[in-house]
């Protein structure tokens, strides 16, 4: 199942924290383009002059022209205003030219960052580079970079237009009559202040809404992708409950977002409509103060044709594009966080969740009492700094020669545990030992010599059947190859393909056939530890049972013990637990580890899962 929506760090609202995280980068970006900003400001000053002339010329046309009986003078002032409008073309062309000098480098920088993130994730977390690889990187590289570019360009245009229109309008009001500023300025400032006060909470609410929405999508996707696990484990009710909680969170965050949007609308009304209303109401007083009719008309022109449209555009852009820009850019920032290095656990923590159960020996085995095959010590791992851990302070000991099954609902952390034990996923805290040697710092070859992991999606390449089967151990003899094929029941498949030396086309294989060849390859490996991460999910129950028994008894051709190794099976069917020596039940709270009979008594989840099976006759061969 998907983790719940991310939450900000304590004491730091997401909007404010996002602003702090991205402000240094924004400053560096703008500081490197001071000349572009100066040229942009220079072209915009011409727009301020046009705004100033629009209202001032109308006032003079009325007071000195038409109302004074001087029609020619009035027309001359209107001609000056018209000329300023016709001359707006070149300044706007200059504005858009400089705008491109800001937005395109920003987009290029974000594309480079997205590529670096994807490469870093592929290197540091190779366990996730499968069919469901980092699709977020694709979104950042394409859709989200375009969102940032378009939002940034819109913000620059609208904020620039408001600032320079406001400069021209306020200078014009001051030139016409200072009393006009006493009426217009207070509600304008109040509305803008109220609007700015909503920006960071609005960004916080929007980010929470997006996180909740993504959590719902991921949760539903996990349920859809893991429906076989849910049915096999009988966890449909639990999955429905978890998905319902995610939907409830999304509903609450949408309500919060709607409330902040309503408050922003109030701020827009105060700043956008109240100045006009107050100007009309104050007209008698202004006339008594000597303000002329032309000055009043010019003030209305400034408000209705310049200042208030620009203010409305800026508030709309900041409220929508601005918060969206902050949230999306912050996602680039989040994605650059490097995974935390594994840390050695504090021995004083104690085994409060110790899963070691040394009292019960494996059935029918006599394992070595020396160094365990696997030791997991206080391991904690989460897939993000704000995500809840999928494994939390987990202790686990697997003895040599032991067969372990891992069960639990889909998404609970079974594959994560397999990745941690195999060394493909670095835990946030804790340590993992294979044969007494730490996984941390081991080279890829060292890990390959100590363990072999077969995931659900089996890898088969174009080449001969022999090349595929000997991929992990090229020096295996023909007898060992024949034994692996025979013990895993792959003889009919190899015969149909044309024998070991036949050329293999992966496109002509089913998922089950791919898995069977990958199991043969793992069986021939020299690694003592075998991890099957739902590696038999496409096989029928009889073939699955045969494969698990073969790995549990894996031996050299001389019949010696299976290299003193161990087998860990992430179970696709609960029948796997009946073949295991012990079973690890992951339930997200308190994991349980013991034999099948012990867990039926000690684990309510295991009883519920197995209740769907205990009265049903097992399939043939299981």
């Amino acid at each position: 199942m998907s983790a719940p929506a991310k939450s900000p760090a304590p004491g730091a609202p997401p909007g404010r924290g996002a602003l702090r995280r991205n402000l240094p980068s924004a400053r560096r970006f703008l500081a490197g383009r001071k000349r572009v900003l100066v040229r942009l400001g220079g072209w915009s000053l011409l727009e301020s002059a046009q705004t100033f002339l629009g209202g001032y010329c109308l006032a003079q046309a009325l007071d000195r022209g038409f109302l004074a009986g001087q029609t020619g003078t009035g027309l001359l002032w209107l001609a000056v205003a018209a000329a300023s409008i016709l001359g707006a073309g070149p300044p706007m062309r200059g504005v858009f030219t400089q705008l491109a000098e800001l937005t395109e480098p920003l987009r290029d920088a974000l594309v480079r960052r997205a590529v670096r993130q994807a490469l870093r994730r592929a290197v540091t977390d190779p366990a996730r580079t499968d069919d469901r690889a980092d699709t977020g990187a694709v979104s950042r590289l394409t859709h989200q970079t375009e969102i940032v570019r378009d939002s940034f360009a819109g913000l620059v245009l609208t904020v620039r237009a408001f600032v320079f229109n406001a400069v021209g309008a306020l200078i014009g009001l001051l030139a016409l009559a200072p009393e006009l500023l006493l009426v217009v300025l207070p509600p304008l400032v109040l509305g803008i202040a109220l609007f700015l006060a909503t920006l960071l909470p609005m960004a916080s609410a929007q980010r929470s809404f997006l996180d909740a929405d993504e959590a719902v999508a991921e949760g539903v996707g996990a349920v859809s992708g893991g429906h076989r696990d849910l049915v096999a484990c009988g966890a449909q009710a639990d999955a429905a409950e978890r998905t319902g909680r995610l939907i409830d969170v999304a509903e609450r965050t949408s309500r919060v977002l709607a409330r902040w949007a309503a408050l922003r609308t109030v701020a827009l009304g105060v700043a956008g409509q109240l100045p006009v209303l107050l100007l009309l109401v104050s007209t008698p007083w202004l006339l008594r103060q000597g303000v002329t009719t032309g000055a009043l008309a010019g003030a209305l022109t400034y408000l209705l044709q310049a200042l208030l449209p620009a203010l409305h555009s800026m508030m709309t852009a900041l409220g929508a594009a601005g918060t969206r820009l902050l949230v999306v850019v912050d996602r680039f920032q989040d994605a650059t966080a490097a995974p935390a290095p594994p840390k050695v656990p504090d021995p004083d923590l104690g085994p409060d969740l110790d899963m070691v159960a040394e009292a019960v020996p494996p059935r029918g085995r006599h394992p070595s009492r020396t160094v365990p095959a696997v030791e997991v010590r206080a391991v904690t791992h989460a897939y993000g700094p704000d995500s809840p851990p999928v494994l939390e302070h987990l202790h686990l000991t697997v003895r040599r020669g032991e067969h372990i099954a891992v069960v639990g609902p889909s998404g609970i952390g079974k594959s994560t545990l397999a990745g941690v034990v195999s060394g493909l996923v670095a835990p946030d805290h804790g340590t993992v030992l294979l044969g007494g040697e730490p996984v941390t710092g081991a080279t890829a070859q060292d890990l390959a010599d100590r363990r072999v992991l077969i995931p659900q999606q089996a890898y088969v390449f174009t080449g001969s059947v022999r090349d595929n089967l000997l991929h992990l151990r090229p020096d295996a003899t023909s007898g060992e190859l024949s034994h692996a094929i025979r013990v895993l029941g792959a003889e009919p498949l190899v015969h149909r393909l044309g024998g070991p030396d036949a050329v293999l086309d992966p496109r002509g294989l089913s998922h089950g056939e791919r898995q069977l060849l990958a199991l043969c390859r793992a069986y021939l490996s020299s690694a003592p530890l075998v991890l099957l991460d739902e590696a038999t999910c496409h096989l029928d129950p009889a073939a699955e049972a045969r494969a698990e028994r073969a790995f549990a008894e894996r031996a050299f051709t001389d019949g010696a013990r299976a290299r003193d190794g161990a087998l860990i099976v992430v179970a696709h069917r609960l029948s796997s637990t009946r073949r295991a020596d012990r079973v690890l039940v992951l339930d997200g709270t308190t994991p349980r580890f013991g034999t099948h009979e012990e867990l039926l008594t000690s684990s309510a989840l295991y009883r519920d899962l197995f209740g769907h099976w205990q009265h049903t006759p097992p399939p043939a061969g299981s």
Side-chain angles (χ1 to χ4, degrees), residues 155-216:
L155 283 177
V156 171
L157 281 178
T158 54
V159 172
R160 176 207 61 84
F162 172 74
V163 169
F164 287 96
N165 274 289
V167 169
L170 294 176
I171 292 176
L173 291 172
L174 182 62
L176 293 176
E179 293 84 357
L180 295 171
L181 291 177
L182 297 177
V183 176
V184 171
L185 205 54
L188 185 65
V189 173
L190 176 63
I192 293 175
L194 181 62
F195 172 76
L196 292 177
T198 67
L199 280 181
L200 292 180
M202 185 87 175
S204 173
Q206 187 163 20
R207 172 160 186 157
S208 298
F209 171 75
L210 290 175
D211 286 339
D213 185 63
E214 288 182 359
V216 170

Side-chain angles (χ1 to χ4, degrees), residues 491-518:
E491 289 177 306
L493 172 61
V494 174
H495 178 73
R496 182 181 69 80
L497 295 174
D501 296 318
V503 176
L504 185 64
D505 182 5
R507 294 172 298 179
L509 298 176
S510 68
H511 289 295
E513 291 169 338
R514 289 169 180 251
Q515 285 188 335
L516 192 55
L517 292 177

Side-chain angles (χ1 to χ4, degrees), residues 371-416:
V371 180
V374 178
E375 287 182 274
V376 177
R377 298 177 179 175
V379 160
T380 297
H381 183 72
Y383 283 110
D386 298 324
S387 300
V390 290
L391 300 175
E392 187 170 11
H393 203 59
L394 177 67
H395 293 256
L396 174 68
T397 297
V398 179
R399 297 184 289 258
R400 300 196 179 208
E402 195 170 21
H403 176 184
I404 301 298
V406 182
V407 299
S410 178
I412 202 65
K414 304 187 296 294
S415 293
T416 300

Side-chain angles (χ1 to χ4, degrees), residues 4-20:
K6 302 175 197 173
S7 58
R16 193 176 302 277
L19 186 62
R20 277 201 304 268

